[in-house]
Amino acid sequence: MPKIKRTSQCFLNTTSGVTTNISSLNKPKNMTFSLSLILALCLFTVLASSDSIPTQNMSNKEREALREESRDMFYHAYHAYMDNAYPADELMPLSCKGRYRGVTPSRGDMDDILGNFSMTLVDTLDTLVILGDFAEFEHAVKLVIRDVQFDSDIIVSVFETNIRMMGGLLSAHILAEYIRKNAQVMPWYKGELLEMARDLGYRLLPAFNTSTGIPHARVNLRYGMKDELLKKSRETCTACAGTILLEFAALSRLTGDPIFEARAHAAMDALWKLRHRGSDLMGTVLNVHSGDWVRRDSGVGAGIDSYYEYLFKSYVLLGDDKYLARFNRHYNAVMKYVSEGPMLLDVLMHRPHAKSRNFMDALLAFWPGLQVLSGDLKPAVQTHEMLYQVMQMHTFIPEAFTIDFQIHWGQHHLRPEFIESTYFLYRATGDHHYLQVGKKALKALQQYAKVPCGYAAVNDVRTGKHEDRMDSFVLSETFKYLYLLFTEPQDLILNIDEFVFTTEAHLLPLSLAQLGNSTYNFRQSEEHNVLDFMRTCPSSNKLFPEKVRKPLRNFITGSCPRTPATKRLRALDFQASNADHLRAVYDMGITMVSLGDGKVRLFHSFYNAKSPEEGEMGLQFMQEMLELTKLQSLNQLAQLQAVAYTVDDKGSEWTALMAGPSHFSPELTEDEFVESEIILAEPSRACEDHLVNAEKVQNKILVAERGDCTFVSKARLAQKAGALALIVCDNVPGSSGETQPMFAMSGDGINDVTIPVVFMYSQEFAKLSTVMLRKPHLRVRIMQMIEFKRWQLAKEAKANETTTETSSSTSTKTAKKTKPEKEL
């Protein structure tokens, strides 16, 4: 067997100033490579050089109590599922019953994770082993072998089925073999779970039959891609296609069947070729046949997150250098363009200096944990601290929050990513601060999510209202990472450092690399050079996390980021609702005069400034504000949508009301428009399974009120009813595009909406409502605002031209009559 080379991505800067090159480490054949070595090599000087003691130390007694509490939390949820839901895929904790595909009311695309294959139990098997509960693990494995089957006419998500079901089966098989040999239990086990994983693998393979090798997002477990509903399948997300390799490589190496790993490698190679060559960034949604990008937003959150994770972990698990090189290229690009201090804001992959949205989503909370594994501790501490403050502000980290830390989407699905990063930061630093963070997260779950029948997702963190939902990852990841955080590694029944966690927290052993893959040639690609394997670890001199967190302790004050007094306030950061900002501009000699309707005029006087330096900053601020105003006017006009209608009965005079676009629907550009009669949805918020007036909606433009469900859910319902377009009106009285910035509605990462969708604030919609009352069958036209302006200008120009021609014609006729008279 050839020696496996591990190439570390760091050069250590020791406190003595000596640089130690560890760029090539060879692993002896008889030695298992430990993931802890990666952490130790990059982080040992961090701990050794600290001159401070971790604050808020937690006693062993308290830590043991929290470990047992986390164990009790797991069993409360586990027994609630087994007693009330099994063999269903999920528990509905408020209804206290199981969620079955095709039986329980559909939730649309959300149900693609379900396959009627007892997902929660399969996803949870390895957690039972970590808890040391061999008896329940054995019982659960027998149930899975007896009850779970995959020969079903059901369309499922390839990504979710792989990480939850395939990962769960493989991890459980590996641990069953482990405890059979080391704990003398389950002597009857003969690899049944592995055979089930192989069966499932073959059912997922048809999804890879694309011209690019990038798999389809969905597949039918019985008919593959022959299902009629999948014939037009084209799009998938980057994370969906790039989170396959760990499980498929493990399946190939455990079964000896190389096809799974080969297909997964091909998909990763195809994705790498689609990166933007200038920025090294990836988009979030692409066409699996053409390779064209459908959404070019680039960040580290939803739609792309685990692609980066699997690049790095594929290197760790399989030993293929090219994945380390690719990860480093992407990582450097993310830290250059996406990272804004502790915040991570999406940009456009082809225009990386342009931010594509003003909010962050909860899924990016995994990023600090990945940074810890890759050896970049300082930014991991910073981003984690920012997320912790968001959590303290809202009790839970909301599904999405804005750059001023307000709630964008209020749901909290009991996600594990923040606890995962907390666990890795504690393992890397030993700082008891992270135990305190874990304690706060645990107590929040106990107080606000625990219900008699398990743990319920929070529908809105502002109200604490529950949702009848408990995802399988709550048992597979959330409680697992909580338990591991409060447990000493030596108290576990296995050496956790000899395993890699998948994105679903399933355990795959590093020893898999020794099995090899006879059909896949591991070689460093010519497209990579030595620079791709080098990244400098942060200076470890006095870098204890406490020192990194300290400057960020007041990062969130009230609802807005604090602007340090020593830092000049930029026009881009200015917020009129922030008292600190108002004080800062006043000190710079700037006064504001209200013009009404939420508009203000700024005046600057150098002599009114607090100091000459402040006066200079005031001049800079005014110049920036002028440039920003020009830029915003152009950008807003380019992005704004128009809802236009005729003012007069003849249809010659048109007026338009401003509306905002959406990220998940077709964009109306240039001369494209949709025109039809407008109709109100019944019920008004369009959040039920169907519309009461669905028959009347066909080929009309539907209007629905904001609230109760997501924008994209309303759009799917409108599309299902046959509407040509959807207008979502605001449910906040008095809101107006004249006084508030227009925003683009976001979806859920699945781009299946084919009709245009626009958003109107309440004051604009009130004007439209008035016209609708006067004209019951009002027709409206939805188009780009800038095109409406051009259309109006063209109409005016044509009218003027007609008037001029008429005038000219009259003059000519008059001239013809008068000319002979003058001659006479």
Side-chain angles (χ1 to χ4, degrees):
M1 184 185 74
K3 213 178 285 183
I4 298 174
K5 187 177 76 172
R6 302 285 191 200
T7 305
S8 172
Q9 67 279 20
C10 298
F11 282 89
L12 293 182
N13 296 322
T14 65
T15 53
S16 62
V18 179
T19 301
T20 306
N21 187 340
I22 57 165
S23 60
S24 59
L25 296 172
N26 293 321
K27 187 191 78 169
K29 295 181 181 179
N30 59 352
M31 173 182 165
T32 301
F33 186 83
S34 172
L35 182 59
S36 61
L37 180 59
I38 293 178
L39 298 177
L41 287 171
C42 280
L43 302 177
F44 79 97
T45 52
V46 170
L47 300 178
S49 64
S50 171
D51 62 353
S52 61
I53 299 173
T55 56
Q56 299 176 311
N57 277 358
M58 182 178 287
S59 67
N60 289 335
K61 183 178 180 180
E62 184 179 8
R63 187 175 177 185
E64 289 172 5
L66 289 168
R67 179 189 67 193
E68 292 310 306
E69 187 171 0
S70 64
R71 183 197 297 272
D72 292 342
M73 293 169 72
F74 169 82
Y75 280 113
H76 175 69
Y78 177 75
H79 289 309
Y81 166 76
M82 294 301 294
D83 295 343
N84 302 284
Y86 183 80
D89 283 324
E90 288 181 351
L91 167 69
M92 298 167 65
L94 302 183
S95 305
C96 213
K97 60 183 182 181
R99 187 185 299 281
Y100 291 91
R101 183 81 172 266
V103 177
T104 314
S106 173
R107 299 174 297 173
D109 292 340
M110 281 178 60
D111 283 346
D112 286 344
I113 62 175
L114 309 177
N116 290 342
F117 38 36
S118 304
M119 181 176 64
T120 293
L121 182 59
V122 174
D123 211 6
T124 305
L125 291 173
D126 57 7
T127 308
L128 291 167
V129 177
I130 286 179
L131 293 173
D133 193 347
F134 296 160
E136 184 59 30
F137 174 70
E138 182 174 8
H139 172 64
V141 168
K142 287 180 178 179
L143 288 177
V144 169
I145 294 171
R146 186 192 72 187
D147 298 337
V148 175
Q149 58 86 31
F150 302 114
D151 186 22
S152 304
D153 183 10
I154 292 178
I155 295 174
V156 296
S157 161
V158 174
F159 163 72
E160 297 286 2
T161 304
N162 176 64
I163 66 172
R164 302 196 198 204
M165 295 297 296
M166 180 69 74
L169 290 169
L170 292 172
S171 181
H173 162 72
I174 290 161
L175 295 181
E177 293 280 3
Y178 180 90
I179 63 174
R180 185 170 68 87
K181 294 175 182 176
N182 295 284
Q184 287 75 51
V185 295
M186 298 179 66
W188 55 268
Y189 182 72
K190 305 299 180 192
E192 291 88 346
L193 296 178
L194 181 60
E195 285 306 309
M196 293 177 70
R198 189 210 298 259
D199 175 35
L200 179 59
Y202 277 115
R203 294 178 187 278
L204 297 180
L205 279 181
F208 290 79
N209 294 331
T210 63
S211 55
T212 61
I214 296 171
H216 287 279
R218 299 171 184 81
V219 69
N220 186 298
L221 288 175
R222 178 176 291 168
Y223 300 112
M225 297 306 297
K226 295 179 181 179
D227 191 297
E228 287 298 322
L229 296 174
L230 296 175
K231 290 292 179 65
K232 296 181 180 180
S233 173
R234 292 290 183 272
E235 295 173 5
T236 192
C237 70
T238 305
C240 302
T243 313
I244 304 287
L245 182 52
L246 293 187
E247 290 83 2
F248 268 41
L251 181 60
S252 281
R253 297 185 183 211
L254 291 169
T255 62
D257 192 338
I259 188 171
F260 306 107
E261 184 172 353
R263 290 294 181 90
H265 280 297
M268 293 295 272
D269 290 344
L271 284 173
W272 172 248
K273 292 175 183 176
L274 296 180
R275 75 193 185 284
H276 190 271
R277 299 305 175 97
S279 67
D280 276 331
L281 292 173
M282 304 286 283
T284 53
V285 180
L286 55 99
N287 185 304
V288 297
H289 293 299
S290 67
D292 294 334
W293 288 105
V294 178
R295 284 192 60 179
R296 296 170 181 261
D297 305 67
S298 187
V300 297
I304 196 170
D305 48 358
S306 48
Y307 164 70
Y308 296 131
E309 180 184 1
Y310 270 41
L311 280 176
F312 183 75
K313 290 182 177 178
S314 294
Y315 158 70
V316 174
L317 182 67
L318 307 178
D320 189 350
D321 290 349
K322 75 178 182 183
Y323 290 114
L324 173 62
R326 292 176 183 180
F327 172 79
N328 282 341
R329 288 271 287 276
H330 285 316
Y331 183 84
N332 291 335
V334 167
M335 298 309 288
K336 180 179 180 181
Y337 299 116
V338 178
S339 176
E340 291 280 349
M343 296 192 291
L344 297 155
L345 302 172
D346 279 19
V347 300
L348 297 172
M349 60 179 287
H350 57 300
R351 287 190 290 148
H353 294 291
K355 301 299 180 188
S356 64
R357 63 185 192 183
N358 67 340
F359 64 90
M360 294 170 274
D361 62 70
L363 286 170
L364 65 77
F366 90 101
W367 186 251
L370 184 59
Q371 289 180 308
V372 170
L373 292 177
S374 68
D376 205 359
L377 185 64
K378 184 176 181 180
V381 171
Q382 292 174 328
T383 297
H384 182 274
E385 179 63 19
M386 180 271 292
L387 291 166
Y388 180 43
Q389 291 189 40
V390 171
M391 188 192 91
Q392 292 179 93
M393 184 177 178
H394 299 296
T395 305
F396 295 108
I397 297 177
E399 191 70 0
F401 53 95
T402 60
I403 56 175
D404 59 349
F405 310 111
Q406 299 304 299
I407 294 170
H408 186 73
W409 298 326
Q411 304 95 329
H412 177 73
H413 299 144
L414 316 185
R415 292 195 184 278
E417 286 79 12
F418 179 69
I419 300 171
E420 173 187 358
S421 289
T422 304
Y423 165 70
F424 282 115
L425 274 163
Y426 177 70
R427 285 294 313 278
T429 66
D431 186 351
H432 279 223
H433 167 77
Y434 298 108
L435 294 178
Q436 300 293 347
V437 172
K439 175 183 175 181
K440 195 167 187 69
L442 181 151
K443 295 300 182 183
L445 288 169
Q446 289 286 67
Q447 184 174 353
Y448 298 105
K450 187 175 183 180
V451 293
C453 198
Y455 287 81
V458 179
N459 184 260
D460 193 324
V461 298
R462 288 163 291 202
T463 63
K465 181 183 176 183
H466 285 134
E467 187 176 341
D468 202 5
R469 170 179 179 177
M470 189 182 85
D471 290 88
S472 67
F473 57 65
V474 177
L475 288 165
S476 175
E477 298 183 78
T478 305
F479 294 140
K480 180 185 290 175
Y481 280 123
L482 269 178
Y483 180 80
L484 288 171
L485 175 64
F486 297 117
T487 305
E488 293 288 352
Q490 61 267 24
D491 293 335
L492 296 169
I493 61 100
L494 46 81
N495 184 354
I496 207 75
D497 289 328
E498 293 179 355
F499 294 84
V500 170
F501 285 108
T502 69
T503 195
E504 191 73 6
H506 294 307
L507 280 71
L508 298 178
L510 288 157
S511 56
L512 280 175
Q514 297 176 3
L515 299 178
N517 180 1
S518 59
T519 66
Y520 196 80
N521 181 25
F522 290 116
R523 61 181 179 83
Q524 185 173 321
S525 172
E526 295 177 358
E527 64 188 285
H528 299 298
N529 56 55
V530 68
L531 294 178
D532 293 333
F533 296 93
M534 295 170 58
R535 204 173 69 240
T536 302
C537 288
S539 172
S540 56
N541 187 29
K542 299 180 180 178
L543 184 62
F544 199 78
E546 176 72 12
K547 290 186 174 290
V548 180
R549 289 195 306 271
K550 193 172 182 180
L552 294 171
R553 279 180 179 157
N554 295 320
F555 190 66
I556 299 175
T557 56
S559 62
C560 301
R562 177 186 291 274
T563 303
T566 55
K567 182 181 177 183
R568 184 178 72 83
L569 177 63
R570 300 181 306 161
L572 185 62
D573 300 324
F574 175 71
Q575 295 178 356
S577 60
N578 188 319
D580 290 339
H581 290 187
L582 294 174
R583 191 178 301 109
V585 296
Y586 179 78
D587 290 344
M588 288 189 287
I590 298 171
T591 54
M592 292 189 294
V593 177
S594 175
L595 302 178
D597 296 328
K599 298 178 182 178
V600 295
R601 179 168 293 165
L602 302 180
F603 296 92
H604 178 257
S605 172
F606 192 90
Y607 300 102
N608 289 337
K610 192 174 181 180
S611 66
E613 292 77 15
E614 298 272 14
E616 291 287 347
M617 289 194 294
L619 286 174
Q620 286 182 271
F621 182 89
M622 294 295 287
Q623 290 171 353
E624 290 175 354
M625 189 61 78
L626 285 172
E627 293 299 320
L628 189 61
T629 302
K630 293 177 184 177
L631 184 63
Q632 286 179 339
S633 297
L634 290 172
N635 288 342
Q636 286 180 358
L637 192 60
Q639 294 177 1
L640 278 180
Q641 302 291 293
V643 177
Y645 54 89
T646 56
V647 179
D648 58 342
D649 295 330
K650 296 179 181 179
S652 58
E653 291 187 31
W654 288 72
T655 188
L657 299 169
M658 69 175 73
S662 77
H663 282 311
F664 56 81
S665 65
E667 183 181 359
L668 296 173
T669 58
E670 298 179 353
D671 57 352
E672 296 175 339
F673 66 88
V674 174
E675 183 177 339
S676 185
E677 185 179 327
I678 194 168
I679 185 172
L680 298 175
E682 296 179 17
S684 62
R685 295 200 169 179
C687 290
E688 306 297 329
D689 292 336
H690 65 279
L691 295 171
V692 175
N693 59 339
E695 294 181 359
K696 300 178 182 179
V697 173
Q698 186 79 23
N699 296 322
K700 305 274 180 62
I701 293 176
L702 185 69
V703 177
E705 186 184 12
R706 182 182 187 177
D708 291 349
C709 62
T710 61
F711 293 122
V712 72
S713 298
K714 299 176 192 293
R716 291 185 179 121
L717 188 60
Q719 183 172 292
K720 181 181 176 182
L724 295 180
L726 172 67
I727 300 172
V728 180
C729 62
D730 200 7
N731 59 353
V732 179
S735 63
S736 171
E738 297 292 338
T739 58
Q740 295 171 256
M742 190 60 72
F743 68 93
M745 295 176 289
S746 296
D748 52 11
I750 302 171
N751 290 73
D752 56 352
V753 176
T754 58
I755 62 172
V757 183
V758 298
F759 175 84
M760 294 182 74
Y761 281 116
S762 56
Q763 285 193 18
E764 280 73 27
F765 182 71
K767 296 177 183 177
L768 183 62
S769 298
T770 302
V771 182
M772 290 172 65
L773 290 173
R774 187 163 52 86
K775 295 183 175 182
H777 299 288
L778 177 69
R779 293 180 66 85
V780 300
R781 176 180 292 190
I782 301 176
M783 61 193 303
Q784 198 173 25
M785 179 63 82
I786 195 167
E787 289 302 318
F788 176 81
K789 298 287 186 184
R790 288 172 180 160
W791 180 48
Q792 289 294 84
L793 289 172
K795 284 176 64 180
E796 290 176 10
K798 188 174 182 180
N800 291 338
E801 184 180 329
T802 304
T803 303
T804 304
E805 287 177 357
T806 304
S807 175
S808 175
S809 176
T810 304
S811 299
T812 303
K813 289 177 181 178
T814 303
K816 286 180 179 178
K817 288 180 181 178
T818 56
K819 190 174 182 180
E821 293 175 2
K822 285 186 179 181
E823 286 178 347
L824 289 171

PDB file of all heavy atoms in Angstrom, residues 175-189:
ATOM      1  N   LEU A 175     -19.667   1.848  13.439  1.00  0.00           N
ATOM      2  CA  LEU A 175     -19.673   1.763  14.896  1.00  0.00           C
ATOM      3  C   LEU A 175     -20.186   0.406  15.380  1.00  0.00           C
ATOM      4  O   LEU A 175     -19.755  -0.081  16.440  1.00  0.00           O
ATOM      5  CB  LEU A 175     -20.519   2.899  15.474  1.00  0.00           C
ATOM      6  CG  LEU A 175     -19.962   4.307  15.226  1.00  0.00           C
ATOM      7  CD1 LEU A 175     -20.866   5.360  15.852  1.00  0.00           C
ATOM      8  CD2 LEU A 175     -18.552   4.446  15.767  1.00  0.00           C
ATOM      9  N   ALA A 176     -21.076  -0.220  14.626  1.00  0.00           N
ATOM     10  CA  ALA A 176     -21.525  -1.571  14.980  1.00  0.00           C
ATOM     11  C   ALA A 176     -20.353  -2.543  14.909  1.00  0.00           C
ATOM     12  O   ALA A 176     -20.179  -3.397  15.806  1.00  0.00           O
ATOM     13  CB  ALA A 176     -22.655  -2.005  14.044  1.00  0.00           C
ATOM     14  N   GLU A 177     -19.553  -2.428  13.855  1.00  0.00           N
ATOM     15  CA  GLU A 177     -18.353  -3.263  13.749  1.00  0.00           C
ATOM     16  C   GLU A 177     -17.387  -2.959  14.884  1.00  0.00           C
ATOM     17  O   GLU A 177     -16.753  -3.857  15.455  1.00  0.00           O
ATOM     18  CB  GLU A 177     -17.673  -3.021  12.394  1.00  0.00           C
ATOM     19  CG  GLU A 177     -18.471  -3.484  11.194  1.00  0.00           C
ATOM     20  CD  GLU A 177     -18.348  -4.980  10.969  1.00  0.00           C
ATOM     21  OE1 GLU A 177     -17.681  -5.653  11.777  1.00  0.00           O
ATOM     22  OE2 GLU A 177     -18.935  -5.484   9.991  1.00  0.00           O
ATOM     23  N   TYR A 178     -17.278  -1.684  15.221  1.00  0.00           N
ATOM     24  CA  TYR A 178     -16.333  -1.252  16.262  1.00  0.00           C
ATOM     25  C   TYR A 178     -16.707  -1.851  17.615  1.00  0.00           C
ATOM     26  O   TYR A 178     -15.858  -2.429  18.314  1.00  0.00           O
ATOM     27  CB  TYR A 178     -16.336   0.279  16.328  1.00  0.00           C
ATOM     28  CG  TYR A 178     -15.398   0.870  17.356  1.00  0.00           C
ATOM     29  CD1 TYR A 178     -14.078   1.183  17.028  1.00  0.00           C
ATOM     30  CD2 TYR A 178     -15.830   1.126  18.661  1.00  0.00           C
ATOM     31  CE1 TYR A 178     -13.215   1.727  17.968  1.00  0.00           C
ATOM     32  CE2 TYR A 178     -14.983   1.673  19.606  1.00  0.00           C
ATOM     33  CZ  TYR A 178     -13.676   1.973  19.255  1.00  0.00           C
ATOM     34  OH  TYR A 178     -12.826   2.499  20.195  1.00  0.00           O
ATOM     35  N   ILE A 179     -17.970  -1.713  18.012  1.00  0.00           N
ATOM     36  CA  ILE A 179     -18.341  -2.210  19.336  1.00  0.00           C
ATOM     37  C   ILE A 179     -18.473  -3.733  19.340  1.00  0.00           C
ATOM     38  O   ILE A 179     -18.328  -4.371  20.396  1.00  0.00           O
ATOM     39  CB  ILE A 179     -19.639  -1.549  19.857  1.00  0.00           C
ATOM     40  CG1 ILE A 179     -20.841  -1.888  18.974  1.00  0.00           C
ATOM     41  CG2 ILE A 179     -19.471  -0.035  19.954  1.00  0.00           C
ATOM     42  CD1 ILE A 179     -22.162  -1.376  19.532  1.00  0.00           C
ATOM     43  N   ARG A 180     -18.722  -4.335  18.183  1.00  0.00           N
ATOM     44  CA  ARG A 180     -18.751  -5.804  18.120  1.00  0.00           C
ATOM     45  C   ARG A 180     -17.382  -6.380  18.434  1.00  0.00           C
ATOM     46  O   ARG A 180     -17.251  -7.379  19.129  1.00  0.00           O
ATOM     47  CB  ARG A 180     -19.226  -6.254  16.733  1.00  0.00           C
ATOM     48  CG  ARG A 180     -19.411  -7.762  16.592  1.00  0.00           C
ATOM     49  CD  ARG A 180     -20.116  -8.096  15.296  1.00  0.00           C
ATOM     50  NE  ARG A 180     -19.276  -7.807  14.151  1.00  0.00           N
ATOM     51  CZ  ARG A 180     -18.391  -8.664  13.627  1.00  0.00           C
ATOM     52  NH1 ARG A 180     -18.234  -9.858  14.176  1.00  0.00           N
ATOM     53  NH2 ARG A 180     -17.688  -8.336  12.566  1.00  0.00           N
ATOM     54  N   LYS A 181     -16.355  -5.684  17.945  1.00  0.00           N
ATOM     55  CA  LYS A 181     -14.992  -6.176  18.164  1.00  0.00           C
ATOM     56  C   LYS A 181     -14.429  -5.748  19.514  1.00  0.00           C
ATOM     57  O   LYS A 181     -13.682  -6.495  20.142  1.00  0.00           O
ATOM     58  CB  LYS A 181     -14.086  -5.657  17.046  1.00  0.00           C
ATOM     59  CG  LYS A 181     -14.416  -6.220  15.675  1.00  0.00           C
ATOM     60  CD  LYS A 181     -13.570  -5.583  14.588  1.00  0.00           C
ATOM     61  CE  LYS A 181     -13.950  -6.109  13.220  1.00  0.00           C
ATOM     62  NZ  LYS A 181     -13.185  -5.429  12.134  1.00  0.00           N
ATOM     63  N   ASN A 182     -14.786  -4.531  19.961  1.00  0.00           N
ATOM     64  CA  ASN A 182     -14.148  -3.980  21.162  1.00  0.00           C
ATOM     65  C   ASN A 182     -14.984  -4.102  22.426  1.00  0.00           C
ATOM     66  O   ASN A 182     -14.440  -4.006  23.529  1.00  0.00           O
ATOM     67  CB  ASN A 182     -13.805  -2.507  20.931  1.00  0.00           C
ATOM     68  CG  ASN A 182     -12.757  -2.324  19.848  1.00  0.00           C
ATOM     69  OD1 ASN A 182     -11.581  -2.559  20.057  1.00  0.00           O
ATOM     70  ND2 ASN A 182     -13.198  -1.919  18.667  1.00  0.00           N
ATOM     71  N   ALA A 183     -16.302  -4.255  22.277  1.00  0.00           N
ATOM     72  CA  ALA A 183     -17.155  -4.336  23.468  1.00  0.00           C
ATOM     73  C   ALA A 183     -17.903  -5.663  23.539  1.00  0.00           C
ATOM     74  O   ALA A 183     -18.728  -5.860  24.427  1.00  0.00           O
ATOM     75  CB  ALA A 183     -18.143  -3.173  23.482  1.00  0.00           C
ATOM     76  N   GLN A 184     -17.629  -6.560  22.598  1.00  0.00           N
ATOM     77  CA  GLN A 184     -18.235  -7.896  22.585  1.00  0.00           C
ATOM     78  C   GLN A 184     -19.766  -7.843  22.651  1.00  0.00           C
ATOM     79  O   GLN A 184     -20.414  -8.596  23.379  1.00  0.00           O
ATOM     80  CB  GLN A 184     -17.702  -8.762  23.742  1.00  0.00           C
ATOM     81  CG  GLN A 184     -16.273  -9.249  23.563  1.00  0.00           C
ATOM     82  CD  GLN A 184     -15.254  -8.152  23.795  1.00  0.00           C
ATOM     83  OE1 GLN A 184     -15.307  -7.468  24.813  1.00  0.00           O
ATOM     84  NE2 GLN A 184     -14.324  -7.981  22.870  1.00  0.00           N
ATOM     85  N   VAL A 185     -20.348  -6.901  21.895  1.00  0.00           N
ATOM     86  CA  VAL A 185     -21.800  -6.849  21.776  1.00  0.00           C
ATOM     87  C   VAL A 185     -22.169  -6.987  20.300  1.00  0.00           C
ATOM     88  O   VAL A 185     -21.317  -6.851  19.425  1.00  0.00           O
ATOM     89  CB  VAL A 185     -22.381  -5.528  22.341  1.00  0.00           C
ATOM     90  CG1 VAL A 185     -22.134  -5.428  23.825  1.00  0.00           C
ATOM     91  CG2 VAL A 185     -21.805  -4.323  21.615  1.00  0.00           C
ATOM     92  N   MET A 186     -23.422  -7.283  20.041  1.00  0.00           N
ATOM     93  CA  MET A 186     -23.941  -7.455  18.674  1.00  0.00           C
ATOM     94  C   MET A 186     -23.153  -8.513  17.879  1.00  0.00           C
ATOM     95  O   MET A 186     -22.751  -8.264  16.735  1.00  0.00           O
ATOM     96  CB  MET A 186     -23.928  -6.118  17.917  1.00  0.00           C
ATOM     97  CG  MET A 186     -24.822  -5.060  18.548  1.00  0.00           C
ATOM     98  SD  MET A 186     -24.792  -3.463  17.689  1.00  0.00           S
ATOM     99  CE  MET A 186     -25.545  -3.888  16.119  1.00  0.00           C
ATOM    100  N   PRO A 187     -22.947  -9.688  18.438  1.00  0.00           N
ATOM    101  CA  PRO A 187     -22.198 -10.718  17.685  1.00  0.00           C
ATOM    102  C   PRO A 187     -22.938 -11.176  16.434  1.00  0.00           C
ATOM    103  O   PRO A 187     -22.325 -11.736  15.518  1.00  0.00           O
ATOM    104  CB  PRO A 187     -22.074 -11.859  18.710  1.00  0.00           C
ATOM    105  CG  PRO A 187     -23.219 -11.643  19.659  1.00  0.00           C
ATOM    106  CD  PRO A 187     -23.392 -10.159  19.753  1.00  0.00           C
ATOM    107  N   TRP A 188     -24.242 -10.931  16.387  1.00  0.00           N
ATOM    108  CA  TRP A 188     -25.058 -11.354  15.255  1.00  0.00           C
ATOM    109  C   TRP A 188     -24.893 -10.461  14.030  1.00  0.00           C
ATOM    110  O   TRP A 188     -25.279 -10.839  12.912  1.00  0.00           O
ATOM    111  CB  TRP A 188     -26.536 -11.340  15.661  1.00  0.00           C
ATOM    112  CG  TRP A 188     -26.981  -9.993  16.200  1.00  0.00           C
ATOM    113  CD1 TRP A 188     -26.981  -9.598  17.499  1.00  0.00           C
ATOM    114  CD2 TRP A 188     -27.444  -8.871  15.436  1.00  0.00           C
ATOM    115  NE1 TRP A 188     -27.419  -8.292  17.615  1.00  0.00           N
ATOM    116  CE2 TRP A 188     -27.712  -7.823  16.363  1.00  0.00           C
ATOM    117  CE3 TRP A 188     -27.663  -8.639  14.078  1.00  0.00           C
ATOM    118  CZ2 TRP A 188     -28.182  -6.578  15.955  1.00  0.00           C
ATOM    119  CZ3 TRP A 188     -28.140  -7.407  13.676  1.00  0.00           C
ATOM    120  CH2 TRP A 188     -28.391  -6.388  14.615  1.00  0.00           C
ATOM    121  N   TYR A 189     -24.345  -9.253  14.196  1.00  0.00           N
ATOM    122  CA  TYR A 189     -24.309  -8.276  13.102  1.00  0.00           C
ATOM    123  C   TYR A 189     -23.359  -8.730  11.990  1.00  0.00           C
ATOM    124  O   TYR A 189     -22.186  -9.032  12.227  1.00  0.00           O
ATOM    125  CB  TYR A 189     -23.886  -6.900  13.628  1.00  0.00           C
ATOM    126  CG  TYR A 189     -23.877  -5.838  12.541  1.00  0.00           C
ATOM    127  CD1 TYR A 189     -25.064  -5.344  12.012  1.00  0.00           C
ATOM    128  CD2 TYR A 189     -22.675  -5.350  12.015  1.00  0.00           C
ATOM    129  CE1 TYR A 189     -25.069  -4.409  11.009  1.00  0.00           C
ATOM    130  CE2 TYR A 189     -22.667  -4.407  11.010  1.00  0.00           C
ATOM    131  CZ  TYR A 189     -23.867  -3.940  10.501  1.00  0.00           C
ATOM    132  OH  TYR A 189     -23.865  -3.008   9.500  1.00  0.00           O
TER     133      TYR A 189
END
